[in-house]
Amino acid sequence: MAKNLTTRQEDYSKWYNDLVVKSGLAENSSVRGCMVIKPHGYAIWEKMQAQLDKMFKETGHQNAYFPLFIPKSLFEAEEKNAKGFAKECAIVTHYRLETDPDNPKKLRVDPKAKLEEELIIRPTSEAIIWNTYKNWIQSYRDLPILINQWANVVRWEMRTRLFLRTAEFLWQEGHTAHQTKDEAMQEALMINSIYAEFAEKYMSMPVLQGLKSENERFAGAEETFCIEALMQDGKALQAGTSHFLGQNFAKAFDVKFTDKEGKLNYVWATSWGVSSRLMGALIMTHSDDKGLVLPPKLAPIQVVIVPIYNNEQELDSISKIAEDIKSKLIKLGISVKYDNRDYLRPGAKFAQHELQGVPIRIAIGPKDLQNKSAEVSRRDLLTKEIIDMNSLIEHVNKLLSDIQENLFKKALKFREDHMSEVDSFDEFQKVLKEKGGFISAHWDGTSETEDKIKEKTKATIRCIPNDPSSSKGKCVYSGNPSNQRVIFAKAY
Amino acid sequence: MAKNLTTRQEDYSKWYNDLVVKSGLAENSSVRGCMVIKPHGYAIWEKMQAQLDKMFKETGHQNAYFPLFIPKSLFEAEEKNAKGFAKECAIVTHYRLETDPDNPKKLRVDPKAKLEEELIIRPTSEAIIWNTYKNWIQSYRDLPILINQWANVVRWEMRTRLFLRTAEFLWQEGHTAHQTKDEAMQEALMINSIYAEFAEKYMSMPVLQGLKSENERFAGAEETFCIEALMQDGKALQAGTSHFLGQNFAKAFDVKFTDKEGKLNYVWATSWGVSSRLMGALIMTHSDDKGLVLPPKLAPIQVVIVPIYNNEQELDSISKIAEDIKSKLIKLGISVKYDNRDYLRPGAKFAQHELQGVPIRIAIGPKDLQNKSAEVSRRDLLTKEIIDMNSLIEHVNKLLSDIQENLFKKALKFREDHMSEVDSFDEFQKVLKEKGGFISAHWDGTSETEDKIKEKTKATIRCIPNDPSSSKGKCVYSGNPSNQRVIFAKAY
């Protein structure tokens, strides 16, 4: 199987698509722009969900569920948000099919079943949620509201790519309501940290944290915090955003509360989300020309055991040992598969597990039976070692942490090697063309300059770092004064 | 709060709605027929999901995700299924809004953005899934496919009720593909058992297991297995179904496989689901006029501790003890809340926890400080005991199992008291009118008779028991021969 994988060198974009499909993560469906997430892909997504959900709950958030549909009149209420999503909305206009009079085997839309008001399929749920919060909030005692929702959303994108940009995708969206501006801002910042922690500790994916420029901000937000990762082709990927929404939605939906002094105030809001796009980020951060490379913490199967045998008797002996290893590893909370399929050669199994990104492979053959050993291979480095049976469990357990850490270090080194500080626009263009990656440069703070740079180079401001380690300078494009360096890149 | 709850005696239907809204489980949204599932309701649903998901995975199923949309041409492919759902479909016809030329603050559907083919929002996913399976299945080695999906679906119901019947609802839908008829039938039966086990052990809700009559079968199924529960008003509620689909979908979507002998055969299918409707069943099985009653295994908070104090010093002493109890219970895997809100009187807290169905309340007051005791109340019986602090943890832990079991026994007794064996149609009508509940009666096996009985009594056949303990007899309506008794009831 792996033989057919396009290499990154040949065609990065084709490599990605090949990999996603051949490793069984996802595929295109017969609905334009919508994907099928296959069991292997969904199992990784479930692991992401479980960890994020835990982190949200530990910080006081609760889950809830709001309708898939947003009536047009509500959708319109917050003007910036509405304009931002109007061009990519799926719209329900009818609620019944009838038998086609021209062909009784076919159905057609029943023209009598037209909705009085069109329903927008949520591209994001602020409108329906704030219209609901209005009834939940009277006094300061009703605040904060800290709610998250796991849901599907639809944005009618014209050019789609599996996981990275699909018409329907899965995500979580947090929507919180607060008494004060400061509290809301702190919430958005805290979520930014949770996202960064998740990316780095679980996905082994280093991220930059910072603010978005006005051009790149969420439609309806006053500030957008983001985490930005760097893919192996030198392009950036926005991996999660949390928005300080100010009082925009509270005003649009008239959500006020009585404070401790008895005064009526508008509520302060945040919203935040990560999506199945993280799957794309995960794949492009670590994988290689043999297939997926998964950080152990998100791998559905962490260890696979493959028997190598010439006859049934050998298989029996190996199976006993394999089952023993398996049960010992499972006791440590490690997920293990014993791959004793009889219609595949070991080599074919190895290739498949490499393609699917199983972090550790244990092979046991006749020699290992004699020597009381096993061959342990790690997917990240593609190296093998013979390990004594007595120390195997401990070795594998430690190796999982090593792989998790090594993947992070490797990705971090890649990012550091692709972070360039530039001070002229010539250099900017040269680096972008020859090397790609993140470019740290001074910017005058105007949308005009950002637009011009984008027009000429396709690079955008990925983030304005939270912690500006740089002093003042001159804009790399306009020469006007700049307060700090910002991070540019071409992006997914 | 609880004061305002309508009683079951007064108006059962209003009691239900009141309870759902006032206990914070769910509410109607501004989208016709769609509900908002609030945090307390969603937390119960999450517990249901977690347990069911575990049971599915333990029996070899994997999760995946398929598109929300079904192109009309695919939807039509399996005729019975299509006809069954055609009248309640939400249909997407456009993919863009534009600024309304008559009012620049408003948006309107962009007539130029009309889809070439309409998209149906899935009322169930057989069509899109079998169109996908077609590409996954070539040989017997690709079978069985055992996939489940957690998703939202839409059925445009005209009369809706929170959890019981809503336009959008949450559910799981399993879709499996098999080599043989027998294997598919066994799968449908096994899922029927899993659903029954879940209902009885986790929801403490006794269920009847059996087959549906043709009238009540899922559109497109050859056999439908179901679990049927009895609500406190004597009406039945279908709580979960698993369908043996024969080769209907395989034929409609041309899904064949090469068997071990090299012959091409159509694949055999099942599908099965339970939905957020289970929330309605849970509520109506156990709750009372004071509010929700929840089986401990599904209660988001199993134990609440309420301090009763006259001054800060007392509160401090109680808080120390409460935190100690809390941490000991949490170590046992019990979820505990210490409710030390300072703006509510203990009585108000008691009423709120009763309304929300917390199984056990521990109250600690000044006397308990002196006597090293606590007052333990159980929600199901509304009884209290003074328990010595030394045995408190053990007592509470055991009490949770007792409550779980007691709820089941109570519901089982109610069902047994409302299971009537009748042998004439007069008796049938009399029992139905005076007592309600399940009626076990002979039936001649025809749809005509079933229709007639439904017309005259509104009762339908809820199930044909898997294990017919009855001998042959004569149909209660037509007098024609009958093979076994079946179960009738009025139903939700």
Side-chain angles (χ1 to χ4, degrees):
Chain A
M1 278 178 272
K3 277 181 204 161
N4 301 326
L5 209 58
T6 309
T7 66
R8 287 164 292 180
Q9 195 68 37
E10 278 176 80
D11 184 340
Y12 189 85
S13 167
K14 194 161 181 304
W15 164 80
Y16 175 80
N17 285 332
D18 261 25
L19 178 52
V20 170
V21 172
K22 289 189 177 154
S23 65
L25 295 179
E27 63 184 36
N28 285 306
S29 76
S30 47
V31 187
R32 207 199 60 80
C34 293
M35 64 181 159
V36 172
I37 307 180
K38 297 179 77 173
H40 189 44
Y42 202 82
I44 300 171
W45 176 241
E46 282 183 308
K47 294 215 149 200
M48 289 186 174
Q49 281 190 302
Q51 180 56 35
L52 283 164
D53 199 69
K54 189 164 172 272
M55 292 167 103
F56 298 150
K57 283 178 177 157
E58 281 169 357
T59 46
H61 302 87
Q62 295 180 297
N63 288 331
Y65 189 77
F66 296 85
L68 172 67
F69 302 121
I70 304 176
K72 189 168 74 65
S73 57
L74 286 186
F75 185 79
E76 286 163 349
E78 207 292 327
E79 228 177 315
K80 278 183 214 158
N81 193 250
K83 291 260 154 94
F85 288 104
K87 291 204 173 114
E88 47 188 46
C89 285
I91 306 159
V92 176
T93 56
H94 292 75
Y95 58 86
R96 195 162 63 217
L97 292 167
E98 62 175 9
T99 303
D100 187 339
D102 297 333
N103 184 346
K105 289 214 157 191
K106 300 271 175 186
L107 297 166
R108 67 166 195 189
V109 174
D110 181 347
K112 296 182 298 299
K114 191 169 188 301
L115 290 171
E116 274 180 46
E117 180 178 12
E118 295 89 352
L119 297 174
I120 314 304
I121 298 186
R122 60 181 168 216
T124 179
S125 300
E126 277 79 1
I128 189 82
I129 286 180
W130 277 88
N131 187 58
T132 308
Y133 282 179
K134 179 168 59 179
N135 303 316
W136 294 2
I137 298 169
Q138 275 89 40
S139 109
Y140 68 94
R141 286 212 172 110
D142 302 319
L143 297 171
I145 293 182
L146 303 171
I147 283 184
N148 176 58
Q149 156 169 289
W150 291 95
N152 54 344
V153 288
V154 173
R155 296 178 186 178
W156 208 263
E157 303 276 359
M158 282 305 165
R159 272 180 297 175
T160 60
R161 292 191 66 192
L162 291 166
F163 290 123
L164 295 172
R165 197 175 289 277
T166 49
E168 182 193 17
F169 59 88
L170 302 182
W171 79 345
Q172 60 69 214
E173 48 181 323
H175 296 273
T176 69
H178 305 267
Q179 293 186 47
T180 65
K181 178 178 178 173
D182 188 55
E183 194 185 302
M185 194 65 98
Q186 287 308 316
E187 166 80 9
L189 251 173
M190 183 193 65
I191 295 293
N192 187 236
S193 307
I194 287 180
Y195 286 163
E197 188 187 339
F198 174 75
E200 303 202 329
K201 288 206 183 144
Y202 292 84
M203 296 175 69
S204 292
M205 178 175 81
V207 291
L208 298 176
Q209 290 176 253
L211 278 171
K212 285 288 180 194
S213 63
E214 202 184 330
N215 283 11
E216 298 285 324
R217 215 176 271 160
F218 175 71
E222 299 206 343
E223 289 292 2
T224 290
F225 295 93
C226 65
I227 56 170
E228 292 281 326
L230 192 62
M231 304 296 102
Q232 292 180 61
D233 62 347
K235 282 168 78 177
L237 189 144
Q238 173 180 302
T241 47
S242 57
H243 315 291
F244 167 69
L245 301 173
Q247 296 176 313
N248 291 340
F249 284 90
K251 285 177 182 166
F253 291 94
D254 195 30
V255 188
K256 290 178 192 162
F257 74 103
T258 311
D259 68 15
K260 282 181 192 166
E261 282 76 44
K263 277 194 294 186
L264 264 183
N265 290 307
Y266 284 111
V267 172
W268 297 87
T270 82
S271 70
W272 31 277
V274 296
S275 74
S276 41
R277 192 170 210 231
L278 285 181
M279 293 288 298
L282 184 75
I283 296 160
M284 288 201 290
T285 300
H286 304 301
S287 300
D288 62 23
D289 297 343
K290 295 218 169 209
L292 273 183
V293 176
L294 295 175
K297 285 186 183 171
L298 297 179
I301 294 167
Q302 295 171 310
V303 177
V304 64
I305 307 174
V306 179
I308 298 169
Y309 55 96
N310 302 304
N311 54 55
E312 283 300 310
Q313 203 191 333
E314 275 176 10
L315 176 62
D316 284 350
S317 308
I318 293 169
S319 291
K320 264 180 215 150
I321 295 169
E323 292 295 351
D324 181 55
I325 295 170
K326 183 176 166 179
S327 73
K328 281 177 182 155
L329 289 173
I330 285 174
K331 268 188 199 148
L332 295 176
I334 296 167
S335 56
V336 187
K337 181 178 174 171
Y338 177 42
D339 184 357
N340 58 354
R341 286 176 292 175
D342 60 6
Y343 56 91
L344 280 185
R345 308 276 309 159
K349 293 180 187 176
F350 290 5
Q352 192 191 349
H353 299 308
E354 280 170 3
L355 178 61
Q356 296 204 307
V358 182
I360 294 176
R361 179 183 74 222
I362 301 174
I364 307 174
K367 268 195 191 165
D368 296 305
L369 280 180
Q370 280 181 359
N371 303 337
K372 302 203 170 174
S373 65
E375 184 194 77
V376 177
S377 312
R378 53 190 285 181
R379 175 65 185 88
D380 59 337
L381 303 178
L382 294 165
T383 53
K384 306 175 196 177
E385 280 180 285
I386 303 296
I387 302 294
D388 191 273
M389 209 49 90
N390 289 324
S391 55
L392 183 68
I393 303 300
E394 200 186 334
H395 179 83
V396 166
N397 197 22
K398 183 170 177 308
L399 195 51
L400 287 170
S401 321
D402 288 354
I403 295 173
Q404 184 79 29
E405 208 176 310
N406 175 56
L407 287 176
F408 180 75
K409 279 187 190 156
K410 195 175 156 196
L412 184 61
K413 181 166 186 318
F414 180 84
R415 189 188 74 188
E416 282 168 352
D417 290 347
H418 291 79
M419 170 67 83
S420 311
E421 210 164 88
V422 310
D423 290 309
S424 76
F425 194 58
D426 278 352
E427 207 187 340
F428 187 108
Q429 286 173 298
K430 188 164 176 267
V431 168
L432 201 65
K433 196 174 164 191
E434 290 175 4
K435 189 176 168 186
F438 286 128
I439 296 180
S440 172
H442 279 287
W443 165 59
D444 63 18
T446 69
S447 290
E448 293 71 36
T449 296
E450 193 180 354
D451 286 340
K452 283 275 162 56
I453 293 176
K454 185 176 179 183
E455 208 183 295
K456 298 204 170 177
T457 67
K458 291 187 183 158
T460 50
I461 297 177
R462 303 318 305 154
C463 75
I464 304 165
N466 284 349
D467 178 22
S469 52
S470 62
S471 52
K472 294 179 188 246
K474 283 188 178 168
C475 174
V476 77
Y477 185 79
S478 68
N480 290 334
S482 149
N483 283 324
Q484 70 169 95
R485 287 179 186 272
V486 300
I487 308 297
F488 289 86
K490 287 192 198 172
Y492 277 93
Chain B
M1 279 179 271
K3 277 182 205 162
N4 301 327
L5 210 58
T6 309
T7 66
R8 285 164 293 179
Q9 194 68 39
E10 278 176 81
D11 184 339
Y12 189 84
S13 167
K14 193 161 182 302
W15 164 79
Y16 175 80
N17 285 332
D18 261 24
L19 178 52
V20 171
V21 173
K22 289 190 177 153
S23 64
L25 295 179
E27 64 184 36
N28 285 306
S29 75
S30 46
V31 187
R32 209 199 60 80
C34 293
M35 66 181 157
V36 172
I37 306 180
K38 297 178 77 172
H40 189 44
Y42 202 82
I44 299 171
W45 175 241
E46 282 182 309
K47 293 213 149 200
M48 290 186 173
Q49 281 189 302
Q51 180 56 36
L52 284 164
D53 199 70
K54 189 164 171 270
M55 293 167 102
F56 299 150
K57 283 178 177 156
E58 281 169 358
T59 46
H61 302 87
Q62 295 180 296
N63 288 330
Y65 189 78
F66 296 85
L68 172 68
F69 302 121
I70 304 176
K72 189 168 75 64
S73 56
L74 287 187
F75 185 80
E76 286 162 350
E78 208 292 325
E79 227 177 315
K80 278 184 215 157
N81 193 249
K83 291 259 153 93
F85 289 103
K87 290 204 173 116
E88 48 188 46
C89 286
I91 307 157
V92 176
T93 56
H94 292 76
Y95 57 85
R96 195 164 62 219
L97 293 167
E98 62 175 9
T99 304
D100 187 340
D102 297 333
N103 183 346
K105 290 214 155 190
K106 300 270 176 188
L107 297 166
R108 67 167 196 189
V109 175
D110 181 347
K112 295 181 299 298
K114 191 169 187 300
L115 290 170
E116 275 180 44
E117 180 178 10
E118 296 89 351
L119 298 174
I120 315 304
I121 298 188
R122 59 183 168 216
T124 179
S125 300
E126 277 79 1
I128 189 82
I129 286 180
W130 278 87
N131 187 58
T132 308
Y133 282 180
K134 180 168 59 179
N135 304 316
W136 294 2
I137 298 170
Q138 275 89 40
S139 110
Y140 69 93
R141 286 212 171 111
D142 301 320
L143 296 171
I145 292 182
L146 304 171
I147 283 184
N148 175 58
Q149 156 169 289
W150 290 97
N152 53 344
V153 287
V154 172
R155 297 178 186 177
W156 208 262
E157 304 277 0
M158 281 305 167
R159 272 180 297 176
T160 61
R161 293 190 66 190
L162 291 166
F163 290 124
L164 296 172
R165 198 175 289 276
T166 49
E168 182 194 16
F169 58 88
L170 302 182
W171 78 345
Q172 60 70 214
E173 48 181 323
H175 296 274
T176 70
H178 306 265
Q179 293 185 48
T180 66
K181 178 178 177 171
D182 188 54
E183 193 185 301
M185 195 65 98
Q186 288 308 315
E187 166 80 9
L189 251 173
M190 183 193 65
I191 295 293
N192 187 236
S193 306
I194 287 180
Y195 286 163
E197 188 188 339
F198 174 74
E200 303 202 330
K201 288 207 183 146
Y202 292 85
M203 296 175 68
S204 291
M205 179 176 82
V207 290
L208 299 175
Q209 289 176 252
L211 279 171
K212 284 289 179 193
S213 63
E214 202 184 331
N215 283 10
E216 299 285 323
R217 216 176 271 160
F218 174 71
E222 299 206 344
E223 288 293 2
T224 290
F225 296 93
C226 64
I227 55 169
E228 292 281 327
L230 192 63
M231 304 295 102
Q232 292 179 61
D233 61 347
K235 282 168 79 177
L237 189 144
Q238 173 179 302
T241 48
S242 56
H243 315 292
F244 168 68
L245 302 173
Q247 297 176 313
N248 291 341
F249 284 90
K251 286 177 181 166
F253 290 94
D254 195 32
V255 188
K256 291 178 190 161
F257 74 102
T258 311
D259 67 16
K260 282 181 190 167
E261 283 74 43
K263 276 194 294 186
L264 264 184
N265 290 307
Y266 284 111
V267 172
W268 298 87
T270 82
S271 70
W272 30 278
V274 295
S275 74
S276 41
R277 191 168 210 231
L278 285 182
M279 293 288 299
L282 184 75
I283 296 161
M284 287 201 290
T285 300
H286 304 300
S287 300
D288 63 23
D289 297 342
K290 295 220 169 210
L292 275 182
V293 176
L294 294 174
K297 285 186 184 171
L298 298 178
I301 294 168
Q302 296 171 308
V303 177
V304 65
I305 307 174
V306 179
I308 299 169
Y309 54 96
N310 302 303
N311 54 55
E312 283 300 310
Q313 204 191 334
E314 275 176 12
L315 176 61
D316 285 349
S317 309
I318 294 169
S319 291
K320 262 179 218 152
I321 295 168
E323 293 294 352
D324 180 54
I325 295 170
K326 183 176 167 180
S327 72
K328 281 177 181 155
L329 289 173
I330 285 174
K331 268 188 200 149
L332 296 175
I334 297 167
S335 56
V336 187
K337 182 179 175 169
Y338 177 41
D339 184 357
N340 58 355
R341 286 176 292 176
D342 60 5
Y343 56 91
L344 280 184
R345 307 276 310 158
K349 293 180 187 176
F350 289 6
Q352 192 191 352
H353 299 309
E354 280 171 2
L355 178 62
Q356 296 204 307
V358 182
I360 294 177
R361 179 183 74 222
I362 301 174
I364 307 175
K367 268 195 189 163
D368 296 305
L369 280 181
Q370 277 179 2
N371 303 338
K372 301 203 170 174
S373 65
E375 183 194 77
V376 176
S377 312
R378 54 189 285 181
R379 177 63 186 87
D380 59 338
L381 303 179
L382 293 166
T383 53
K384 306 176 198 177
E385 280 180 283
I386 302 296
I387 302 296
D388 191 274
M389 208 50 91
N390 288 324
S391 55
L392 183 68
I393 303 299
E394 201 186 334
H395 179 82
V396 166
N397 197 22
K398 184 171 175 309
L399 195 50
L400 287 170
S401 322
D402 289 353
I403 294 173
Q404 184 80 29
E405 209 176 310
N406 174 57
L407 287 176
F408 180 75
K409 279 188 190 155
K410 196 176 156 195
L412 184 61
K413 181 166 190 317
F414 179 84
R415 189 188 75 188
E416 283 168 352
D417 290 346
H418 291 79
M419 169 68 83
S420 311
E421 210 164 88
V422 310
D423 290 310
S424 77
F425 194 57
D426 278 351
E427 206 187 341
F428 187 107
Q429 286 172 298
K430 189 164 175 267
V431 168
L432 200 63
K433 197 176 164 189
E434 290 174 5
K435 189 175 167 187
F438 286 128
I439 296 180
S440 172
H442 278 288
W443 165 60
D444 63 17
T446 68
S447 289
E448 294 70 38
T449 297
E450 193 180 354
D451 286 340
K452 283 274 161 55
I453 293 176
K454 186 177 178 182
E455 208 182 294
K456 298 204 172 179
T457 67
K458 292 187 181 159
T460 50
I461 296 177
R462 302 318 305 153
C463 76
I464 304 165
N466 284 349
D467 178 21
S469 51
S470 62
S471 53
K472 293 178 189 246
K474 283 187 178 169
C475 175
V476 78
Y477 185 79
S478 67
N480 291 333
S482 149
N483 283 325
Q484 71 170 92
R485 287 179 186 272
V486 301
I487 307 298
F488 288 86
K490 287 191 198 173
Y492 277 94

